[in-house]
Coordinates of all heavy atoms in Angstrom, one line a residue:
S733 N 0.8 -1.2 0.0 CA 0.0 0.0 0.0 C 0.9 1.3 0.0 O 0.5 2.3 -0.6 CB -1.0 0.0 1.2 OG -0.3 0.2 2.4
S734 N 2.0 1.2 0.6 CA 2.9 2.4 0.7 C 3.4 2.7 -0.7 O 3.6 3.8 -1.1 CB 4.0 2.2 1.6 OG 4.9 1.2 1.2
R735 N 3.7 1.7 -1.5 CA 4.2 1.9 -2.9 C 3.1 2.5 -3.7 O 3.3 3.4 -4.5 CB 4.6 0.5 -3.5 CG 5.0 0.6 -4.9 CD 6.4 0.2 -5.1 NE 6.8 0.0 -6.5 CZ 7.5 0.9 -7.1 NH1 8.0 2.0 -6.5 NH2 7.8 0.7 -8.4
L736 N 1.8 2.0 -3.6 CA 0.7 2.6 -4.3 C 0.5 4.1 -3.9 O 0.3 5.0 -4.8 CB -0.6 1.8 -4.1 CG -1.8 2.3 -4.8 CD1 -1.6 2.4 -6.3 CD2 -3.0 1.5 -4.4
T737 N 0.6 4.4 -2.6 CA 0.5 5.7 -2.1 C 1.6 6.6 -2.8 O 1.3 7.7 -3.2 CB 0.6 5.8 -0.6 OG1 -0.4 4.9 -0.1 CG2 0.5 7.2 -0.1
S738 N 2.8 6.1 -2.8 CA 3.9 6.8 -3.4 C 3.6 7.2 -4.9 O 3.9 8.3 -5.4 CB 5.2 6.0 -3.3 OG 6.2 6.7 -4.0
V739 N 3.1 6.2 -5.6 CA 2.8 6.4 -7.1 C 1.7 7.4 -7.2 O 1.8 8.3 -8.1 CB 2.4 5.0 -7.7 CG1 1.9 5.2 -9.1 CG2 3.6 4.1 -7.8
I740 N 0.7 7.3 -6.4 CA -0.4 8.3 -6.5 C 0.1 9.7 -6.2 O -0.3 10.6 -6.9 CB -1.6 7.8 -5.6 CG1 -2.2 6.6 -6.1 CG2 -2.6 9.0 -5.4 CD1 -3.2 5.9 -5.2
R741 N 0.9 9.8 -5.2 CA 1.4 11.1 -4.8 C 2.3 11.7 -6.0 O 2.2 12.9 -6.3 CB 2.3 11.0 -3.5 CG 2.8 12.3 -3.0 CD 3.5 12.2 -1.7 NE 2.6 11.7 -0.7 CZ 2.8 10.7 0.1 NH1 3.9 10.0 0.0 NH2 1.9 10.3 1.0
K742 N 3.1 10.9 -6.6 CA 3.9 11.3 -7.7 C 3.0 11.8 -8.9 O 3.3 12.8 -9.5 CB 4.8 10.2 -8.2 CG 5.7 10.5 -9.4 CD 6.7 11.6 -9.1 CE 8.0 10.9 -8.6 NZ 9.1 11.8 -8.3
I743 N 2.0 11.0 -9.2 CA 1.0 11.4 -10.3 C 0.3 12.7 -10.0 O 0.2 13.6 -10.8 CB 0.0 10.3 -10.5 CG1 0.7 9.0 -11.1 CG2 -1.1 10.7 -11.4 CD1 -0.1 7.8 -11.2
E744 N -0.1 12.9 -8.7 CA -0.7 14.2 -8.3 C 0.3 15.3 -8.5 O -0.1 16.4 -9.0 CB -1.2 14.1 -6.9 CG -2.4 13.3 -6.7 CD -2.9 13.1 -5.3 OE1 -2.0 13.4 -4.3 OE2 -4.0 12.7 -5.0
Q745 N 1.5 15.1 -8.1 CA 2.5 16.2 -8.3 C 2.7 16.6 -9.7 O 2.7 17.7 -10.1 CB 3.9 15.8 -7.7 CG 3.9 15.7 -6.2 CD 5.3 15.2 -5.7 OE1 6.0 14.6 -6.4 NE2 5.5 15.4 -4.4
I746 N 2.8 15.5 -10.6 CA 3.0 15.8 -12.0 C 1.8 16.5 -12.6 O 1.9 17.4 -13.4 CB 3.3 14.5 -12.7 CG1 4.7 13.9 -12.3 CG2 3.3 14.6 -14.2 CD1 5.0 12.5 -12.7
A747 N 0.6 16.0 -12.2 CA -0.6 16.6 -12.8 C -1.0 18.0 -12.3 O -1.5 18.8 -13.1 CB -1.8 15.6 -12.6
F748 N -0.7 18.3 -11.1 CA -1.2 19.5 -10.5 C -0.2 20.5 -10.0 O -0.6 21.6 -9.6 CB -2.1 19.1 -9.3 CG -3.3 18.3 -9.7 CD1 -3.4 17.0 -9.2 CD2 -4.2 18.7 -10.6 CE1 -4.5 16.2 -9.6 CE2 -5.3 17.9 -11.0 CZ -5.4 16.6 -10.5
T749 N 1.1 20.2 -10.1 CA 2.1 21.2 -9.6 C 3.0 21.6 -10.8 O 3.5 20.7 -11.6 CB 3.0 20.5 -8.5 OG1 2.1 20.1 -7.5 CG2 3.9 21.6 -8.0
A750 N 3.2 22.9 -11.0 CA 4.0 23.4 -12.1 C 5.4 22.8 -12.0 O 6.0 22.6 -10.9 CB 4.0 24.9 -12.0
I751 N 6.0 22.6 -13.2 CA 7.4 22.0 -13.2 C 8.4 22.9 -12.5 O 9.3 22.4 -11.8 CB 7.8 21.7 -14.7 CG1 9.1 21.0 -14.7 CG2 7.9 23.0 -15.5 CD1 9.0 19.6 -14.2
D752 N 8.3 24.2 -12.6 CA 9.3 25.0 -11.9 C 9.2 25.0 -10.4 O 10.2 25.0 -9.7 CB 9.2 26.5 -12.4 CG 7.9 27.1 -12.3 OD1 6.9 26.4 -12.0 OD2 7.8 28.4 -12.4
V753 N 8.0 24.8 -9.9 CA 7.8 24.6 -8.5 C 8.4 23.2 -8.0 O 9.1 23.2 -7.0 CB 6.3 24.6 -8.1 CG1 6.1 24.3 -6.6 CG2 5.7 26.0 -8.4
R754 N 8.1 22.2 -8.8 CA 8.7 20.9 -8.4 C 10.2 20.9 -8.6 O 10.9 20.3 -7.7 CB 8.1 19.8 -9.3 CG 6.6 19.6 -9.0 CD 6.0 18.4 -9.8 NE 6.0 18.6 -11.2 CZ 6.4 17.7 -12.1 NH1 6.8 16.6 -11.7 NH2 6.3 18.0 -13.4
L755 N 10.7 21.6 -9.6 CA 12.2 21.6 -9.8 C 12.8 22.4 -8.6 O 13.9 21.9 -8.1 CB 12.5 22.3 -11.1 CG 14.0 22.6 -11.4 CD1 14.8 21.3 -11.4 CD2 14.1 23.3 -12.7
A756 N 12.2 23.5 -8.2 CA 12.8 24.2 -7.0 C 12.8 23.3 -5.8 O 13.8 23.3 -5.1 CB 12.0 25.5 -6.8
A757 N 11.8 22.6 -5.6 CA 11.7 21.7 -4.4 C 12.8 20.6 -4.5 O 13.5 20.3 -3.5 CB 10.3 21.0 -4.3
V758 N 13.0 20.0 -5.7 CA 14.1 19.0 -5.8 C 15.5 19.7 -5.6 O 16.3 19.1 -4.9 CB 14.0 18.4 -7.2 CG1 15.3 17.6 -7.6 CG2 12.8 17.5 -7.3
L759 N 15.7 20.9 -6.1 CA 17.0 21.5 -5.9 C 17.2 21.8 -4.4 O 18.4 21.6 -4.0 CB 17.0 22.8 -6.7 CG 17.0 22.7 -8.2 CD1 17.0 24.1 -8.8 CD2 18.2 21.9 -8.7
L760 N 16.2 22.2 -3.7 CA 16.4 22.4 -2.3 C 16.7 21.1 -1.5 O 17.5 21.0 -0.6 CB 15.1 23.0 -1.7 CG 14.8 24.4 -2.0 CD1 13.5 24.9 -1.6 CD2 15.9 25.4 -1.4
E761 N 16.0 20.0 -1.9 CA 16.3 18.7 -1.3 C 17.7 18.2 -1.6 O 18.4 17.7 -0.8 CB 15.3 17.7 -1.8 CG 15.4 16.3 -1.2 CD 15.1 16.2 0.3 OE1 14.5 17.2 0.8 OE2 15.5 15.3 0.9
L762 N 18.2 18.4 -2.9 CA 19.5 18.0 -3.2 C 20.5 18.8 -2.5 O 21.6 18.3 -2.0 CB 19.7 18.2 -4.7 CG 19.0 17.2 -5.6 CD1 19.1 17.7 -7.1 CD2 19.4 15.8 -5.4
D763 N 20.3 20.1 -2.3 CA 21.2 21.0 -1.5 C 21.2 20.6 0.0 O 22.2 20.5 0.6 CB 20.7 22.4 -1.6 CG 21.7 23.4 -1.0 OD1 22.8 23.4 -1.4 OD2 21.3 24.1 -0.1
R764 N 20.0 20.2 0.5 CA 19.9 19.8 1.9 C 20.7 18.5 2.1 O 21.4 18.3 3.1 CB 18.5 19.5 2.3 CG 18.3 19.2 3.8 CD 16.8 18.9 4.1 NE 16.4 17.6 3.5 CZ 16.7 16.4 3.9 NH1 17.5 16.3 5.0 NH2 16.3 15.3 3.4
K765 N 20.7 17.6 1.1 CA 21.5 16.4 1.2 C 22.9 16.5 0.8 O 23.7 15.5 0.8 CB 20.8 15.3 0.3 CG 19.4 14.8 0.8 CD 18.9 13.8 -0.1 CE 17.5 13.3 0.3 NZ 17.0 12.3 -0.6
S766 N 23.3 17.7 0.4 CA 24.7 18.0 0.0 C 25.1 17.2 -1.2 O 26.3 16.7 -1.3 CB 25.7 17.8 1.2 OG 25.4 18.7 2.2
V767 N 24.2 16.9 -2.1 CA 24.5 16.2 -3.4 C 25.4 17.1 -4.2 O 25.0 18.2 -4.5 CB 23.2 15.8 -4.1 CG1 23.6 15.2 -5.5 CG2 22.4 14.8 -3.3
E768 N 26.6 16.6 -4.6 CA 27.5 17.4 -5.3 C 27.4 17.2 -6.8 O 27.6 18.1 -7.6 CB 28.9 17.2 -4.9 CG 29.1 17.7 -3.5 CD 30.6 17.7 -3.0 OE1 31.5 17.6 -3.9 OE2 30.8 17.8 -1.8
K769 N 27.2 16.0 -7.2 CA 27.1 15.7 -8.7 C 25.7 15.2 -9.0 O 25.2 14.2 -8.4 CB 28.1 14.5 -9.0 CG 29.5 14.9 -8.9 CD 29.9 15.9 -9.9 CE 31.4 16.3 -9.8 NZ 31.8 17.3 -10.7
I770 N 25.1 15.9 -10.0 CA 23.7 15.5 -10.4 C 23.6 16.0 -11.9 O 24.1 17.1 -12.2 CB 22.6 16.1 -9.5 CG1 21.2 15.6 -9.9 CG2 22.7 17.6 -9.6 CD1 20.9 14.3 -9.3
T771 N 23.0 15.2 -12.7 CA 22.8 15.6 -14.1 C 21.4 16.1 -14.3 O 20.5 15.8 -13.5 CB 23.1 14.4 -15.1 OG1 22.2 13.4 -14.9 CG2 24.5 13.9 -14.9
H772 N 21.2 16.8 -15.4 CA 19.9 17.2 -15.8 C 19.0 16.0 -16.0 O 17.8 16.0 -15.6 CB 19.9 18.0 -17.1 CG 20.6 19.4 -16.9 ND1 20.5 20.4 -17.8 CD2 21.4 19.8 -16.0 CE1 21.2 21.4 -17.4 NE2 21.8 21.1 -16.3
Q773 N 19.6 14.9 -16.5 CA 18.8 13.7 -16.7 C 18.3 13.1 -15.4 O 17.2 12.6 -15.2 CB 19.6 12.7 -17.5 CG 18.9 11.4 -17.8 CD 17.6 11.5 -18.7 OE1 17.7 12.3 -19.6 NE2 16.6 10.8 -18.3
D774 N 19.2 13.1 -14.4 CA 18.9 12.6 -13.1 C 17.7 13.4 -12.5 O 16.8 12.8 -11.9 CB 20.0 12.6 -12.1 CG 21.2 11.7 -12.5 OD1 21.0 10.7 -13.2 OD2 22.4 12.1 -12.1
I775 N 17.8 14.7 -12.6 CA 16.7 15.5 -12.1 C 15.4 15.2 -12.9 O 14.3 15.2 -12.3 CB 17.1 17.0 -12.2 CG1 18.3 17.3 -11.3 CG2 15.9 17.9 -11.8 CD1 18.9 18.6 -11.4
A776 N 15.5 15.1 -14.2 CA 14.3 14.8 -15.0 C 13.6 13.5 -14.6 O 12.4 13.5 -14.5 CB 14.7 14.8 -16.5
V777 N 14.4 12.5 -14.3 CA 13.9 11.2 -13.9 C 13.1 11.4 -12.5 O 12.0 10.9 -12.3 CB 15.0 10.1 -13.8 CG1 14.5 8.9 -13.0 CG2 15.5 9.8 -15.1
E778 N 13.7 12.2 -11.6 CA 13.1 12.4 -10.3 C 11.8 13.2 -10.5 O 10.8 12.9 -9.8 CB 14.1 13.2 -9.5 CG 13.5 13.6 -8.1 CD 13.3 12.5 -7.2 OE1 14.0 11.5 -7.3 OE2 12.5 12.6 -6.3
L779 N 11.7 14.1 -11.5 CA 10.5 14.9 -11.7 C 9.5 14.2 -12.6 O 8.4 14.7 -12.7 CB 10.9 16.2 -12.3 CG 11.7 17.2 -11.3 CD1 12.1 18.4 -12.1 CD2 10.8 17.6 -10.2
G780 N 9.9 13.2 -13.3 CA 9.0 12.5 -14.2 C 8.8 13.3 -15.5 O 7.6 13.4 -16.0
T781 N 9.8 14.0 -16.0 CA 9.7 14.8 -17.2 C 10.9 14.6 -18.0 O 11.8 13.8 -17.8 CB 9.5 16.3 -16.7 OG1 9.2 17.1 -17.9 CG2 10.8 16.9 -16.1
A782 N 11.0 15.4 -19.1 CA 12.1 15.2 -20.1 C 13.3 16.1 -19.7 O 13.1 17.1 -19.0 CB 11.6 15.7 -21.5
R783 N 14.4 15.6 -20.0 CA 15.7 16.3 -19.7 C 15.7 17.7 -20.3 O 16.1 18.7 -19.7 CB 16.9 15.6 -20.2 CG 18.2 16.3 -19.9 CD 19.4 15.8 -20.7 NE 19.1 15.9 -22.2 CZ 19.2 17.0 -22.9 NH1 19.4 18.1 -22.4 NH2 18.9 16.9 -24.2
E784 N 15.1 17.9 -21.5 CA 15.1 19.1 -22.2 C 14.3 20.2 -21.4 O 14.6 21.3 -21.3 CB 14.5 19.0 -23.6 CG 15.3 18.2 -24.5 CD 15.2 16.7 -24.4 OE1 14.4 16.2 -23.6 OE2 15.9 16.0 -25.2
V785 N 13.2 19.7 -20.7 CA 12.4 20.6 -19.9 C 13.1 21.1 -18.7 O 13.2 22.2 -18.4 CB 11.1 19.8 -19.5 CG1 10.3 20.7 -18.5 CG2 10.2 19.5 -20.7
V786 N 13.8 20.1 -18.1 CA 14.7 20.5 -16.9 C 15.7 21.5 -17.3 O 16.0 22.5 -16.6 CB 15.3 19.2 -16.2 CG1 16.3 19.6 -15.2 CG2 14.2 18.4 -15.6
S787 N 16.4 21.2 -18.4 CA 17.5 22.1 -18.9 C 17.0 23.5 -19.2 O 17.6 24.5 -18.8 CB 18.2 21.5 -20.1 OG 18.8 20.3 -19.8
R788 N 15.8 23.6 -19.8 CA 15.2 24.9 -20.1 C 14.9 25.7 -18.8 O 15.3 26.9 -18.7 CB 14.0 24.7 -21.0 CG 13.4 26.0 -21.4 CD 12.2 25.8 -22.4 NE 11.2 24.8 -22.0 CZ 11.0 23.7 -22.6 NH1 11.7 23.3 -23.6 NH2 10.0 22.9 -22.1
H789 N 14.3 25.0 -17.8 CA 14.0 25.7 -16.6 C 15.3 26.1 -15.8 O 15.3 27.2 -15.2 CB 13.0 24.9 -15.8 CG 11.7 24.9 -16.3 ND1 10.8 25.9 -16.0 CD2 11.0 24.1 -17.1 CE1 9.6 25.7 -16.6 NE2 9.7 24.6 -17.3
L790 N 16.3 25.2 -15.8 CA 17.5 25.5 -15.1 C 18.2 26.7 -15.7 O 18.8 27.5 -15.0 CB 18.4 24.3 -15.0 CG 18.0 23.2 -14.1 CD1 18.9 21.9 -14.3 CD2 18.1 23.7 -12.6
K791 N 18.2 26.7 -17.0 CA 18.8 27.8 -17.8 C 18.1 29.2 -17.4 O 18.8 30.2 -17.2 CB 18.7 27.6 -19.3 CG 19.7 28.4 -20.0 CD 21.1 28.0 -19.6 CE 22.1 28.4 -20.7 NZ 23.4 28.4 -20.2
R792 N 16.8 29.1 -17.3 CA 16.0 30.3 -16.8 C 16.4 30.7 -15.4 O 16.7 31.8 -15.1 CB 14.5 30.1 -16.9 CG 13.7 31.3 -16.5 CD 12.2 31.1 -16.8 NE 11.7 30.1 -16.0 CZ 11.2 30.2 -14.8 NH1 11.2 31.4 -14.2 NH2 10.6 29.2 -14.1
F793 N 16.5 29.7 -14.5 CA 16.9 29.9 -13.1 C 18.3 30.6 -13.1 O 18.5 31.5 -12.3 CB 16.9 28.6 -12.3 CG 15.6 28.1 -11.9 CD1 14.4 28.6 -12.4 CD2 15.5 27.0 -11.1 CE1 13.1 28.0 -12.1 CE2 14.3 26.4 -10.7 CZ 13.1 27.0 -11.2
E794 N 19.2 30.1 -14.0 CA 20.5 30.6 -14.0 C 20.5 32.1 -14.5 O 21.2 32.9 -13.9 CB 21.4 29.8 -14.9 CG 22.8 30.2 -15.0 CD 23.7 29.4 -15.9 OE1 23.3 29.1 -17.0 OE2 24.8 29.0 -15.5
S795 N 19.7 32.4 -15.5 CA 19.6 33.7 -16.0 C 19.0 34.7 -15.0 O 19.3 35.9 -15.0 CB 18.8 33.8 -17.3 OG 17.4 33.6 -17.1
E796 N 18.2 34.2 -14.1 CA 17.6 35.0 -13.0 C 18.6 35.1 -11.8 O 18.4 35.9 -10.9 CB 16.4 34.3 -12.4 CG 15.2 34.3 -13.4 CD 14.5 35.6 -13.6 OE1 14.7 36.5 -12.8 OE2 13.8 35.7 -14.6
G797 N 19.7 34.4 -11.9 CA 20.7 34.4 -10.8 C 20.4 33.6 -9.6 O 21.0 33.7 -8.6
W798 N 19.5 32.6 -9.8 CA 19.1 31.7 -8.7 C 20.0 30.5 -8.5 O 20.1 30.0 -7.4 CB 17.7 31.2 -8.9 CG 16.7 32.3 -9.0 CD1 16.9 33.7 -8.7 CD2 15.3 32.2 -9.4 NE1 15.7 34.4 -8.9 CE2 14.7 33.5 -9.3 CE3 14.5 31.1 -9.8 CZ2 13.4 33.7 -9.6 CZ3 13.2 31.4 -10.1 CH2 12.6 32.6 -10.0
V799 N 20.6 30.0 -9.6 CA 21.5 28.9 -9.6 C 22.7 29.2 -10.5 O 22.7 30.0 -11.3 CB 20.8 27.6 -10.1 CG1 19.6 27.2 -9.3 CG2 20.4 27.7 -11.6
R800 N 23.8 28.4 -10.3 CA 24.9 28.4 -11.1 C 25.1 26.9 -11.6 O 25.1 26.0 -10.9 CB 26.2 28.8 -10.3 CG 27.4 28.9 -11.2 CD 28.6 29.4 -10.4 NE 29.0 28.4 -9.4 CZ 28.9 28.5 -8.1 NH1 28.3 29.6 -7.6 NH2 29.2 27.5 -7.3
L801 N 25.2 26.8 -13.0 CA 25.2 25.5 -13.6 C 26.7 25.2 -14.0 O 27.4 26.1 -14.4 CB 24.3 25.5 -14.8 CG 22.9 25.8 -14.6 CD1 22.1 25.8 -16.0 CD2 22.2 24.8 -13.7
G802 N 27.0 23.9 -13.8 CA 28.3 23.5 -14.2 C 28.2 22.0 -14.7 O 27.1 21.4 -14.5
R803 N 29.2 21.4 -15.2 CA 29.1 20.1 -15.7 C 28.8 19.1 -14.5 O 29.6 19.0 -13.6 CB 30.4 19.7 -16.3 CG 30.4 18.3 -17.0 CD 31.5 18.1 -17.9 NE 31.4 16.9 -18.6 CZ 30.7 16.7 -19.7 NH1 30.0 17.7 -20.2 NH2 30.6 15.5 -20.3
G804 N 27.6 18.5 -14.5 CA 27.2 17.6 -13.4 C 26.9 18.3 -12.1 O 26.9 17.7 -11.0
Q805 N 26.8 19.7 -12.1 CA 26.5 20.4 -10.9 C 25.4 21.5 -11.1 O 25.3 22.1 -12.1 CB 27.8 21.2 -10.5 CG 28.9 20.3 -10.0 CD 30.1 21.2 -9.5 OE1 30.6 22.0 -10.3 NE2 30.5 21.0 -8.3
V806 N 24.7 21.7 -10.0 CA 23.7 22.8 -9.9 C 23.9 23.3 -8.5 O 23.6 22.6 -7.6 CB 22.3 22.3 -10.2 CG1 21.3 23.4 -10.0 CG2 22.1 21.6 -11.5
A807 N 24.4 24.5 -8.5 CA 24.6 25.2 -7.2 C 23.6 26.3 -6.9 O 23.4 27.1 -7.8 CB 26.0 25.7 -7.1
L808 N 23.0 26.3 -5.8 CA 22.0 27.4 -5.5 C 22.8 28.6 -5.2 O 23.7 28.6 -4.3 CB 21.2 27.0 -4.3 CG 20.3 25.7 -4.4 CD1 19.4 25.6 -3.1 CD2 19.4 25.8 -5.6
T809 N 22.4 29.7 -5.8 CA 23.0 31.0 -5.5 C 22.1 32.0 -4.9 O 22.5 33.0 -4.3 CB 23.6 31.6 -6.8 OG1 22.6 31.7 -7.8 CG2 24.8 30.8 -7.3
D810 N 20.8 31.7 -5.0 CA 19.8 32.5 -4.3 C 18.7 31.6 -3.7 O 17.6 31.4 -4.2 CB 19.1 33.5 -5.3 CG 18.2 34.6 -4.7 OD1 17.9 34.4 -3.5 OD2 17.9 35.6 -5.3
R811 N 19.1 31.1 -2.6 CA 18.3 30.1 -1.9 C 16.9 30.7 -1.5 O 15.9 30.0 -1.6 CB 19.0 29.6 -0.6 CG 18.2 28.5 0.1 CD 19.0 28.0 1.3 NE 18.4 26.9 1.9 CZ 18.5 25.6 1.4 NH1 19.2 25.3 0.4 NH2 17.8 24.6 2.0
V812 N 16.9 31.9 -1.2 CA 15.6 32.6 -0.8 C 14.6 32.5 -1.9 O 13.4 32.2 -1.7 CB 15.8 34.0 -0.3 CG1 14.5 34.7 -0.1 CG2 16.7 34.0 1.0
R813 N 15.0 32.8 -3.1 CA 14.1 32.8 -4.3 C 13.7 31.4 -4.6 O 12.5 31.2 -5.0 CB 14.8 33.5 -5.5 CG 15.1 34.9 -5.3 CD 13.9 35.8 -5.1 NE 13.1 35.8 -6.3 CZ 13.0 36.8 -7.1 NH1 13.6 37.9 -6.9 NH2 12.2 36.7 -8.2
I814 N 14.6 30.5 -4.5 CA 14.2 29.1 -4.8 C 13.2 28.6 -3.8 O 12.3 27.9 -4.1 CB 15.5 28.2 -4.8 CG1 16.4 28.6 -6.0 CG2 15.1 26.7 -4.9 CD1 15.9 28.3 -7.4
E815 N 13.4 28.9 -2.5 CA 12.5 28.5 -1.5 C 11.1 29.2 -1.7 O 10.1 28.5 -1.5 CB 13.0 28.9 -0.1 CG 14.1 28.0 0.4 CD 14.7 28.4 1.7 OE1 14.5 29.6 2.2 OE2 15.4 27.5 2.3
A816 N 11.1 30.4 -2.1 CA 9.8 31.1 -2.4 C 9.1 30.4 -3.5 O 7.9 30.3 -3.5 CB 10.1 32.6 -2.7
L817 N 9.8 30.0 -4.5 CA 9.2 29.3 -5.6 C 8.7 27.9 -5.2 O 7.6 27.5 -5.6 CB 10.2 29.2 -6.8 CG 9.7 28.5 -8.0 CD1 8.5 29.2 -8.6 CD2 10.8 28.4 -9.1
A818 N 9.5 27.2 -4.4 CA 9.1 25.8 -4.0 C 8.0 25.8 -3.0 O 7.2 24.9 -3.0 CB 10.4 25.1 -3.4
H819 N 7.9 26.9 -2.2 CA 6.9 26.9 -1.2 C 6.1 28.3 -1.3 O 6.3 29.1 -0.4 CB 7.5 26.8 0.2 CG 8.4 25.6 0.4 ND1 8.0 24.3 0.3 CD2 9.8 25.6 0.5 CE1 9.0 23.5 0.5 NE2 10.1 24.2 0.5
P820 N 5.3 28.4 -2.3 CA 4.6 29.7 -2.5 C 3.6 30.0 -1.4 O 3.1 29.1 -0.8 CB 3.8 29.5 -3.8 CG 3.7 28.0 -4.0 CD 4.9 27.4 -3.3
A821 N 3.5 31.3 -1.1 CA 2.6 31.7 0.0 C 1.1 31.4 -0.5 O 0.9 31.5 -1.7 CB 2.8 33.2 0.3
P822 N 0.2 31.1 0.4 CA -1.2 30.9 0.0 C -1.7 32.1 -0.8 O -1.4 33.3 -0.4 CB -1.9 30.8 1.3 CG -0.9 30.4 2.3 CD 0.4 31.0 1.8
G823 N -2.4 31.8 -1.9 CA -2.9 32.9 -2.7 C -2.0 33.3 -3.9 O -2.4 34.1 -4.7
D824 N -0.8 32.7 -3.9 CA 0.1 33.1 -5.0 C -0.2 32.2 -6.2 O -0.7 31.2 -6.2 CB 1.6 32.8 -4.6 CG 2.1 34.0 -3.8 OD1 1.4 35.0 -3.6 OD2 3.2 33.8 -3.3

């Protein structure tokens, strides 16, 4: 039953939560766990989306100054903005 619950939760996230919100939450989790090496493909698998989608959003985050991208690395440079995106205030 826990596996089914996990699958249902993942489907709800994919269906009802914007990709940039989910991506921000994953980036915060990776930062919390001190993950140093992660590829766009790894993040895409975690989010249940295509690598190209993740790359496009990460590039936008980088242009906003929220992250710094490197080969196999995504470093948070504006944690406050990423947290605000990952955990929007009610009514946003």
Side-chain angles (χ1 to χ4, degrees):
S733 72
S734 66
R735 178 120 168 103
L736 180 58
T737 301
S738 174
V739 169
I740 290 170
R741 186 172 298 125
K742 178 69 89 178
I743 290 170
E744 286 175 343
Q745 286 176 343
I746 291 169
F748 300 117
T749 306
I751 187 70
D752 55 349
V753 173
R754 293 187 294 133
L755 176 56
V758 166
L759 293 176
L760 289 171
E761 182 66 17
L762 292 171
D763 188 58
R764 186 184 68 75
K765 292 180 178 179
S766 299
V767 173
E768 292 188 17
K769 295 290 183 186
I770 187 83
T771 66
H772 294 196
Q773 181 63 40
D774 295 334
I775 296 170
V777 168
E778 177 68 26
L779 292 173
T781 191
R783 182 199 52 78
E784 293 83 0
V785 172
V786 169
S787 295
R788 185 172 50 246
H789 284 278
L790 285 173
K791 200 62 159 167
R792 182 173 62 88
F793 287 8
E794 183 180 46
S795 71
E796 295 285 342
W798 301 349
V799 299
R800 186 178 64 251
L801 301 177
R803 186 164 184 84
Q805 290 183 304
V806 179
L808 300 185
T809 55
D810 192 342
R811 185 178 186 81
V812 172
R813 295 297 293 253
I814 295 292
E815 286 176 343
L817 181 59
H819 310 291
D824 282 354

